[in-house]
């Protein structure tokens, strides 16, 4: 039966295929087959070995595409695991997203990776790449999957099978090795030529191409402050026995929802107490508390809770909104799409902000501006002054950028970076994306407070991410304290809000691949009733019911 295909970004080719089916790879010229890593077929993400047998619009994806990079990175983790299984069959390790937009590999049953081991793994990976072994998809029942995991010594993968709603598992086989990485793969090992591997601490750093770098590997930049926070998150999750999805579900079932929620919230309380103590110890010098973090980190709730923490120590504080210092729309610089770049620090009246802060610190009365977001105009706000021992709190994506507060000396600032630094795993070789957690928070919040459908939030996410890479991540190493806003139980609560929103996205929608990826993660978490979430919890900022909504 004939069917029509249209290839959107490959010579704008249109064709009628008079065949039962055709493999996506066969639509490409031979010299172009390794330039693409996946495809969207009617907006569904497919591997290049997928057979089309119906009318379709096809987009071939290179490494400038986020989803294609995800396929590449997933396949690279498979390749690394395969090389280790060949060289060191008894080695246990765990992968996590880490510093410099890379994967960190930590050994679990040895002290660490010696330089010779790293060299051997690198060599074996490149040897497998040169062989260009095919990745073959195999469908297995859950019982068959369990037997495969036992054969290869992947007991950690067995634990999550009981939470899998499907009755089958899509494995990939490669020259006798089998593994499941929760998504599609590149056609063969020969596609994975671009990676860098290095020793880092007592582990390994694996770098790979990134879409925000147009398919290039970004330069390695160490981030010890960020890395320390990730290690602390890993340590705490391991300490309470809840550092994988299966263990989170098990912990919840063993101790109950209330206990689980309160244990996690208590950890936030402890971190707030640490910050409060540090500020109290130096209150004579601290005039400005700066709170920054990427989208959906929980900055607003955190700032309010910090004010309460300081009040409990007899320290009054006042909050000044950075958002009130937006320039008029006509004065805001344009982004690459020709639209006002609201993420840019130059969208703010930096000169007035510095002048007002300095005047307040010197004990003067200041009439603040008030930006009216409905009219887009700048109005006159309230007139305030601060006492000598009353710090000013600012929060926003630019709060740690020295340009924003250049008139205030470094010793007068206490800088806090906040973000959910989740170190959670589906299994040892499949870490959860730190970015996906924030995206899920934002999906729920945008619908709850703006009635925005999931498609709208997903459509803005790439722009949000560009702003974060440009303006935020470089400032986190300046922080005096990194607050990990992740709560181990939060996805058990958020899933029931997020899944219906994601399920509304049609399969032919351009954002369906993103929705599908998020649903593939959420389906493994068990539900928790949100009645156990305290009304001052950071999660309330996203699901509603926060005591701070009118604070």
């Amino acid at each position: 039966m004939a069917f029509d295909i249209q290839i959107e970004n490959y010579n704008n080719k249109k064709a009628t295929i008079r065949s039962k089916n055709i493999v996506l790879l066969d639509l490409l010229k031979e010299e172009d087959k390794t330039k693409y890593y996946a495809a969207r077929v009617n907006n569904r993400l497919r591997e290049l070995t997928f057979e089309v047998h119906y009318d379709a619009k096809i987009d071939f994806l290179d490494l400038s595409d986020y989803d294609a990079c995800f396929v590449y990175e997933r396949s690279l983790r498979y390749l690394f695991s395969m090389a280790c299984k060949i060289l060191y069959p008894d080695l246990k390790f765990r992968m996590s997203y880490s510093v410099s937009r890379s994967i960190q590999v930590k050994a679990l049953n040895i002290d660490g990776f010696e330089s010779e081991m790293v060299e051997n793994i690198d060599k074996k990976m490149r040897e497998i790449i040169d062989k260009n072994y095919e990745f073959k998809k195999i469908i297995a029942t859950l019982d068959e999957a369990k037997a495969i995991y036992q054969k290869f010594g992947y007991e950690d993968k067995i634990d999550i099978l009981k939470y899998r709603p499907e009755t089958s598992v899509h494995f990939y086989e490669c020259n006798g090795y089998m593994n499941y990485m929760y998504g599609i793969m590149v056609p063969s090992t020969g596609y994975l030529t671009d990676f860098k591997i290095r020793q880092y601490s007592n582990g390994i750093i694996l770098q790979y191409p990134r879409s925000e770098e147009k398919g290039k590997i970004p330069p390695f930049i160490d981030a010890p402050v960020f890395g320390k926070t990730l290690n602390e998150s890993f340590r705490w999750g391991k300490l309470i026995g809840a550092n994988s999805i299966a263990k989170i579900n098990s912990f919840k079932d063993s101790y109950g929802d209330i206990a689980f929620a309160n244990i996690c919230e208590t950890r936030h309380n402890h971190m707030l107490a640490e910050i409060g103590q540090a500020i109290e110890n130096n209150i004579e010098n601290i005039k400005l508390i700066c709170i920054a973090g990427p989208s959906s980190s929980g900055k607003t709730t955190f700032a309010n809770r910090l004010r309460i923490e300081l009040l409990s120590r007899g320290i009054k504080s006042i909050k000044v909104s950075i958002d009130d210092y937006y320039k008029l729309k006509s004065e805001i610089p344009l982004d690459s799409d020709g639209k006002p770049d609201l993420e840019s620090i130059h969208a703010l009246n930096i000169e007035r902000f510095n002048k007002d802060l300095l005047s307040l610190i010197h004990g003067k009365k200041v009439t603040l501006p008030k930006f009216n977001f409905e009219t887009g105009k700048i109005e006159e706000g309230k007139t305030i002054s601060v006492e000598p021992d009353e710090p000013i709190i600012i929060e926003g994506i630019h709060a740690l950028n020295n340009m924003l507060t250049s008139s205030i000396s470094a010793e007068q600032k206490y800088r806090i970076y906040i973000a959910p630094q989740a170190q959670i795993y589906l299994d040892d070789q499949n870490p959860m994306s730190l970015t996906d957690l924030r995206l899920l928070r934002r999906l729920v919040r945008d619908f709850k407070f703006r009635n925005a459908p999931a498609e709208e939030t997903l459509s803005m996410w790439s722009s949000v991410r560009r702003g974060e890479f440009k303006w935020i991540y470089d400032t986190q190493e300046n922080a005096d304290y990194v607050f990990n806003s992740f709560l181990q139980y939060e996805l058990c609560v958020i899933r029931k809000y997020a899944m219906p929103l994601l399920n509304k996205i049609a399969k032919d929608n351009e954002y369906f691949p993103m929705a599908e990826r998020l649903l593939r993660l959420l389906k493994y978490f068990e539900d928790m009733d949100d009645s156990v979430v305290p009304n001052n919890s950071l999660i309330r900022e996203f699901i509603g019911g926060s005591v701070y909504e009118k604070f």
Side-chain angles (χ1 to χ4, degrees), residues 320 356-364 366 368 384-386 392:
V320 173
D356 287 354
L357 287 182
L358 198 58
S359 294
L360 287 169
I361 288 171
H362 288 163
K364 298 178 181 179
V366 172
L368 302 175
I384 64 170
S385 61
V386 299
I392 301 166

Side-chain angles (χ1 to χ4, degrees), residues 56-221:
K57 289 184 178 180
I58 299 168
D59 294 326
F60 286 104
L61 308 177
D62 61 22
L63 292 179
S64 64
D65 180 87
Y66 179 84
D67 288 317
C69 275
F70 215 108
V71 172
Y72 189 99
E73 180 258 328
R74 180 188 299 124
S75 304
L76 189 64
R77 283 188 278 112
Y78 183 111
L79 174 64
F80 181 94
S81 302
M82 179 179 177
C84 287
K85 182 57 65 176
I86 294 170
L87 293 171
Y88 309 106
D90 297 326
L91 176 66
K92 303 290 184 184
F93 60 86
R94 180 169 292 148
M95 294 179 166
S96 60
Y97 295 111
S98 190
V99 299
S100 200
R101 293 175 276 176
S102 65
I103 300 164
Q104 185 173 9
V105 186
K106 295 180 180 179
L108 299 178
N109 61 344
I110 58 174
D111 290 339
F113 289 93
E114 298 178 356
S115 58
E116 184 179 356
M117 292 180 69
V118 179
E119 292 171 5
N120 290 341
I121 294 169
D122 187 4
K123 183 178 178 181
K124 178 57 68 175
M125 289 175 70
R126 298 189 189 280
E127 179 184 309
I128 295 171
I129 290 168
D130 289 341
K131 296 288 186 182
N132 198 25
Y133 295 128
E134 183 182 354
F135 289 117
K136 299 177 183 177
K137 183 184 285 188
I138 296 172
I139 300 177
T141 66
L142 294 184
D143 287 339
E144 289 170 340
K146 183 177 180 180
I148 292 169
Y149 289 151
Q150 289 173 333
K151 174 184 176 182
F152 287 95
Y154 295 146
E155 288 80 8
D156 59 293
K157 291 178 176 283
I158 295 174
D159 294 339
I160 202 170
L161 285 177
K162 63 181 177 181
Y163 302 108
R164 184 177 175 84
E166 296 87 358
T167 58
S168 62
V169 178
H170 290 80
F171 279 87
Y172 280 87
E173 185 271 336
C174 183
N175 195 39
Y177 176 76
M178 296 182 70
N179 208 335
Y180 175 56
M181 309 301 282
Y182 301 89
I184 68 172
M185 308 273 283
V186 296
S188 63
T189 60
Y191 281 72
L192 302 173
T193 56
D194 197 12
F195 69 91
K196 294 180 181 179
I197 186 170
R198 65 168 69 206
Q199 275 189 293
Y200 181 78
S201 186
N202 63 344
I204 288 175
I205 284 288
L206 193 60
Q207 293 181 272
Y208 55 93
R210 301 283 305 201
S211 58
E212 67 273 7
E213 298 288 339
K214 304 300 182 185
K216 303 295 184 182
I217 298 175
F220 179 79
I221 301 173

Side-chain angles (χ1 to χ4, degrees), residues 302-317:
F302 172 79
N304 287 325
R305 288 187 65 174
L306 180 59
R307 290 177 68 189
I308 301 287
E309 173 65 32
L310 295 176
L311 278 172
S312 75
R313 299 170 182 273
I315 301 171
K316 295 180 181 180
S317 61

Side-chain angles (χ1 to χ4, degrees), residues 266 268-280 289 301-317 393 416 483 536 548 551:
T266 299
H268 271 192
N269 293 340
H270 287 167
M271 287 191 285
L272 278 161
E274 289 177 352
I275 296 172
Q277 187 63 62
I279 293 172
E280 182 181 0
I289 299 171
T301 298
F302 172 79
N304 287 325
R305 288 187 65 174
L306 180 59
R307 290 177 68 189
I308 301 287
E309 173 65 32
L310 295 176
L311 278 172
S312 75
R313 299 170 182 273
I315 301 171
K316 295 180 181 180
S317 61
I393 295 178
I416 303 167
F483 185 92
N536 70 338
Y548 300 116
F551 185 65

Side-chain angles (χ1 to χ4, degrees), residues 244-357:
S244 71
I245 295 177
K247 289 179 178 178
I248 284 173
N249 291 336
S250 177
F251 190 97
K252 183 183 79 71
D253 293 340
S254 297
Y255 293 94
D257 293 1
I258 295 175
F260 191 18
N262 276 277
I263 287 169
C264 298
E265 297 290 346
T266 299
R267 183 167 180 259
H268 271 192
N269 293 340
H270 287 167
M271 287 191 285
L272 278 161
E274 289 177 352
I275 296 172
Q277 187 63 62
I279 293 172
E280 182 181 0
N281 290 345
N282 196 27
I283 192 60
E284 291 182 1
N285 295 317
I286 295 173
K287 304 300 180 185
L288 185 64
I289 299 171
C290 310
I291 303 168
S295 173
S296 302
S297 292
K299 295 184 289 293
T300 302
T301 298
F302 172 79
N304 287 325
R305 288 187 65 174
L306 180 59
R307 290 177 68 189
I308 301 287
E309 173 65 32
L310 295 176
L311 278 172
S312 75
R313 299 170 182 273
I315 301 171
K316 295 180 181 180
S317 61
I318 190 165
K319 188 176 176 182
V320 173
S321 174
I322 295 175
D323 286 350
D324 284 328
Y325 286 81
Y326 267 109
K327 296 177 180 177
L328 296 174
K329 187 176 181 180
S330 60
E331 299 174 349
I332 294 175
L334 304 180
D335 62 17
S336 57
D337 297 325
K339 298 178 181 179
D341 188 0
L342 299 178
E343 304 290 333
S344 170
I345 193 170
H346 300 294
L348 302 171
N349 189 333
I350 299 172
E351 183 178 354
R352 181 172 180 181
F353 189 73
N354 273 277
K355 179 182 177 182
D356 287 354
L357 287 182

